[in-house]
Amino acid sequence: MEKIICLENINYHYHDAISALTDISLEIKRGERFAIIGANGTGKTTLLQIMNGLISPSSGKLFFKGDEVLKQTLKDKGFLRFFRGRVGYVFQDSDVQLFCPTVLDELLYGPLQLEIGETEAMDRAFEMMKMLNIEHLKERPTYMLSGGEKKKVAIGSVLTMNPEVLLLDEPTNGLDSKMQCFLVELMLALNEAGKTLVIATHDLSLVDELQATVGVLSEEHRMEKTGSAIDILKDEELLLRVNLIHEHIHRHRDIAHRHIHSHYLFHRHENS
Amino acid sequence: MRDQIPPFLLHRPSSNSFRLEGRNLRTPFLEKGMDRLAEMIKTAYSQWEYASREGFFQKIDARIKVLFLIFFVVIVSLKKNIGSEGLIGIFVFSLMLISRLNVFHLYKRILLFGLIFGSLVALPSILNLFGEGEVLFTLLRLSTPYEFWIYSIPQEIGITKEGLYGMVMLTLRVINSLSITFLLLYTTPFPEIIKALKVFRVPDTFLIIITLTYKYLFLFAKTVEDMHLAKKSRLLREMRHRETRKWVAGRVAFIFRKTRLRTEEVYKAMLCRGFSDTITIRQTAKLRQCDWVAGISLFLIGCLLLWI
């Protein structure tokens, strides 16, 4: 499979002082589902923003389809259209992403930027609203939406540009279980439709549901391990080390148990 | 879900290549300004980093440092000769060195502000157009002197010794005052400085308002930066000025709305933790022996500099 995103020895420091990423190298292939997992503050969002060319690494290289993405090349109109039209980014906080007056304007923004004709842009927006079941919200200002609706609009606003790669930052964070299920189904359907998905999350159940290739970030901001979801989720010692699972005590009637807990996979008792 | 995917999403771009247009995109001034402002606010991270280093000035109690700041700024303003100002400058510089601050980075900013607010502001006063004095360099010689209303233009226009001295003094005072302020800011965490203001009987309510403002300023700076990145991620062409103004106005409105909501939430959070109508903050600890020693030493050095 063709390599679509390639990172080589990426380092990132905030204000030349605080390290956010240390020597990250990874390859993402076309049509792959890739999950970057790690505890809070490990640099997942920073890594995703580097992949989208939103921030530039302190050192290291980013390649998209073999072309190096640089601050300078992103200033060129030709390359910018090529890159931004193919790589979409869904922010964790939908509020910051939605800046147009209404839901319809939001969905039209991307296609109009791509200079797609207004009729086609409208068609895309309406098809998207139908798919996401938000047709009734068409004229509503985005600040009048619920958390789940905002997330749908945020994803829709990126999808109307028809990107090849979709970068999603904590997509299921703060959503109810019904909305989470909807999102998982949507991501799988989009992947089947040929989209490459890159997700930053600490939700291990999401990783399992997507059966993604996983890159584990350590608290030292390094890529600790990459592998299949099965291999990574099996590796208790690794998940404990990177603080994605922990030991806790809970009670079954009068008996207290101490066991490894991730709210998902390792809810397992020693005696069972 | 699979059947509901719109056909346009199944379409793959025909070309894998791009054509460089050779034309660079310009970021509009307003947007750049917003982003830079957020960036500037966030540089306080480095202030926090320096303040938590192990250094001489970092170890001293914030109250002593605030008193030092006021005392030394008064001394800087009272001194009337370049030599004394120079001595104060050397003293503050050595304090920065033993506090392990990045002097190059700090003095770059101090000198820039010093040149703007000291030299540039006082630049016209070096000419004998605004005050009399001994002319050192002649810039222009007129055929005859002019007098009108309260103004007089001498025949020989030039830089005066007194004017130059005044400008150098003002620049040195600005540089010294800034160095002392930066020394305090970069060796003391901001919450400690706020607490130290209690020494001057600043009401607790006022202190808590400053603390909250400072904290939320960071949060909103982060939001502004994220909004900028969110737009950048969907921007494929140059934005027209009209579009930029519209976007900035929309985002300002968004920040206002968010601020109002956050204010209500913070107030509710304060209420549920027992807030009635008065604010009481933790009393500061007693000064240690080393703080007294440092305080007395700085006071004596200040008196010596005042006397010289």
Side-chain angles (χ1 to χ4, degrees):
Chain A
M1 259 194 290
E2 180 201 353
K3 279 187 269 182
I4 198 156
I5 289 177
C6 189
L7 300 174
E8 281 181 11
N9 310 105
I10 295 283
N11 287 287
Y12 189 84
H13 295 95
Y14 285 108
H15 311 290
D16 299 325
I18 305 156
S19 176
L21 292 170
T22 310
D23 200 23
I24 305 286
S25 296
L26 61 91
E27 284 173 1
I28 297 166
K29 295 183 183 77
R30 176 193 288 280
E32 195 171 11
R33 297 182 298 276
F34 197 97
I36 300 159
I37 63 169
N40 291 339
T42 47
K44 302 186 291 291
T45 301
T46 310
L47 189 57
L48 229 52
Q49 290 189 349
I50 286 176
M51 284 188 201
N52 197 221
L54 294 175
I55 52 174
S56 306
S58 308
S59 65
K61 288 177 179 175
L62 161 69
F63 295 91
F64 176 67
K65 291 186 166 187
D67 292 302
E68 190 171 357
V69 182
L70 295 163
K71 212 174 180 177
Q72 203 50 42
T73 50
L74 278 172
K75 281 184 181 165
D76 183 90
K77 283 180 84 172
F79 185 76
L80 187 81
R81 274 178 68 89
F82 170 75
F83 183 69
R84 293 259 180 267
R86 283 163 178 79
V87 186
Y89 188 107
V90 181
F91 280 69
Q92 184 181 353
D93 180 2
S94 306
D95 267 333
V96 300
Q97 192 173 350
L98 305 175
F99 50 79
C100 296
T102 64
V103 169
L104 182 61
D105 291 322
E106 206 63 67
L107 299 175
L108 285 173
Y109 184 86
L112 294 178
Q113 290 279 310
L114 282 169
E115 291 168 10
I116 290 170
E118 202 165 324
T119 321
E120 199 194 326
M122 274 290 191
D123 287 347
R124 283 189 180 193
F126 277 94
E127 282 172 26
M128 193 50 63
M129 283 193 280
K130 195 175 166 199
M131 182 182 90
L132 298 169
N133 205 11
I134 50 170
E135 287 158 300
H136 58 293
L137 304 172
K138 184 177 68 170
E139 298 298 342
R140 199 174 287 184
T142 45
Y143 59 83
M144 301 277 283
L145 304 174
S146 70
E149 287 166 344
K150 278 180 190 166
K151 185 58 87 183
K152 281 184 177 180
V153 178
I155 293 176
S157 70
V158 174
L159 284 179
T160 48
M161 294 166 81
N162 189 21
E164 284 181 68
V165 181
L166 205 54
L167 308 170
L168 298 122
D169 190 3
E170 304 278 8
T172 53
N173 216 12
L175 300 175
D176 61 37
S177 51
K178 192 180 164 196
M179 186 61 202
Q180 286 189 16
C181 274
F182 172 84
L183 270 185
V184 171
E185 280 181 33
L186 177 67
M187 284 188 275
L188 288 171
L190 288 169
N191 185 244
E192 269 192 47
K195 309 288 173 207
T196 308
L197 298 180
V198 186
I199 298 147
T201 185
H202 54 248
D203 182 355
L204 297 181
S205 60
L206 178 64
V207 174
D208 185 48
E209 281 180 272
L210 292 176
Q211 279 301 305
T213 307
V214 184
V216 187
L217 281 175
S218 71
E219 289 185 308
E220 289 74 41
H221 316 288
R222 289 179 183 280
M223 189 58 78
E224 194 75 13
K225 190 177 176 182
T226 46
S228 68
I230 296 175
D231 288 343
I232 298 288
L233 294 176
K234 250 186 351 198
D235 195 343
E236 283 184 28
E237 192 267 326
L238 167 75
L239 296 176
L240 265 172
R241 195 167 66 237
V242 297
N243 255 335
L244 278 165
I245 56 172
H246 56 269
E247 267 198 341
H248 88 153
I249 297 175
H250 80 154
R251 299 188 75 86
H252 285 282
R253 292 200 185 123
D254 294 333
I255 307 153
H257 292 272
R258 175 183 285 275
H259 60 83
I260 291 168
H261 181 65
S262 75
H263 295 278
Y264 167 61
L265 282 173
F266 303 105
H267 201 97
R268 191 187 65 207
H269 301 122
E270 275 165 24
N271 304 337
S272 62
Chain B
M1 177 59 76
R2 204 180 310 160
D3 314 324
Q4 290 166 14
I5 296 283
F8 81 86
L9 277 179
L10 302 172
H11 171 79
R12 270 169 64 170
S14 51
S15 162
N16 255 352
S17 62
F18 59 92
R19 193 167 53 86
L20 283 174
E21 291 194 11
R23 252 198 70 208
N24 278 354
L25 282 173
R26 279 174 306 170
T27 315
F29 171 76
L30 263 174
E31 197 190 329
K32 209 187 277 178
M34 239 172 119
D35 189 41
R36 287 280 157 83
L37 181 70
E39 187 61 32
M40 201 178 81
I41 293 170
K42 286 196 344 187
T43 50
Y45 275 122
S46 49
Q47 186 257 357
W48 163 82
E49 209 261 332
Y50 285 123
S52 49
R53 274 185 194 178
E54 276 288 306
F56 167 72
F57 226 60
Q58 284 88 335
K59 286 180 190 157
I60 303 173
D61 190 279
R63 284 165 291 183
I64 301 285
K65 286 189 270 190
V66 170
L67 287 171
F68 157 82
L69 168 79
I70 294 165
F71 184 46
F72 269 71
V73 168
V74 170
I75 296 172
V76 166
S77 315
L78 288 178
K79 295 312 288 181
K80 286 192 169 59
N81 60 73
I82 292 175
S84 311
E85 290 291 346
L87 268 179
I88 298 171
I90 293 168
F91 175 62
V92 179
F93 180 77
S94 28
L95 283 180
M96 282 191 182
L97 278 181
I98 56 172
S99 303
R100 299 176 62 209
L101 298 181
N102 183 345
V103 282
F104 178 73
H105 167 76
L106 282 180
Y107 272 91
K108 215 166 62 178
R109 296 171 75 178
I110 291 168
L111 290 177
L112 178 75
F113 285 123
L115 288 175
I116 293 171
F117 296 107
S119 307
L120 274 184
V121 168
L123 195 64
S125 71
I126 62 171
L127 299 174
N128 57 352
L129 289 170
F130 304 97
E132 288 178 1
E134 184 193 332
V135 177
L136 291 176
F137 313 103
T138 305
L139 299 173
L140 190 70
R141 199 180 295 277
L142 302 172
S143 54
T144 171
Y146 294 92
E147 296 266 347
F148 61 95
W149 195 29
I150 53 170
Y151 304 105
S152 68
I153 300 173
Q155 191 177 5
E156 193 183 38
I157 299 172
I159 296 168
T160 62
K161 189 178 167 186
E162 290 76 5
L164 202 61
Y165 186 81
M167 190 188 77
V168 173
M169 271 304 288
L170 184 65
T171 309
L172 281 176
R173 278 181 181 162
V174 174
I175 289 176
N176 280 343
S177 305
L178 279 172
S179 317
I180 297 164
T181 314
F182 274 56
L183 175 65
L184 172 79
L185 286 176
Y186 276 79
T187 53
T188 322
F190 190 76
E192 293 295 316
I193 300 176
I194 297 297
K195 267 193 230 158
L197 294 177
K198 270 177 89 81
V199 178
F200 305 104
R201 304 267 172 247
V202 177
D204 285 355
T205 312
F206 188 69
L207 296 183
I208 206 93
I209 289 170
I210 301 176
T211 314
L212 281 173
T213 310
Y214 181 76
K215 183 186 157 194
Y216 287 106
L217 209 59
F218 282 112
L219 290 179
F220 285 114
K222 177 85 184 84
T223 310
V224 169
E225 197 195 17
D226 284 347
M227 286 187 314
H228 169 74
L229 290 180
K231 191 166 77 68
K232 198 173 158 186
S233 73
R234 286 202 280 161
L235 195 69
L236 293 102
R237 59 177 172 84
E238 220 160 77
M239 265 183 110
R240 285 183 284 272
H241 288 302
R242 194 164 153 262
E243 281 179 295
T244 312
R245 283 198 299 275
K246 218 170 142 188
W247 181 79
V248 171
R251 295 295 81 194
V252 169
F254 167 77
I255 289 279
F256 268 127
R257 203 168 42 242
K258 200 149 181 153
T259 311
R260 192 181 55 78
L261 292 173
R262 184 55 64 91
T263 312
E264 283 170 15
E265 280 167 14
V266 171
Y267 180 65
K268 283 177 198 159
M270 286 166 78
L271 281 180
C272 74
R273 284 164 70 189
F275 170 72
S276 53
D277 58 349
T278 49
I279 292 172
T280 317
I281 58 175
R282 183 163 58 93
Q283 291 303 307
T284 40
K286 280 187 175 168
L287 290 176
R288 296 159 304 167
Q289 202 179 357
C290 59
D291 296 322
W292 282 110
V293 173
I296 292 166
S297 313
L298 289 169
F299 177 73
L300 290 175
I301 294 168
C303 290
L304 188 73
L305 288 167
L306 204 57
W307 179 66
I308 292 170

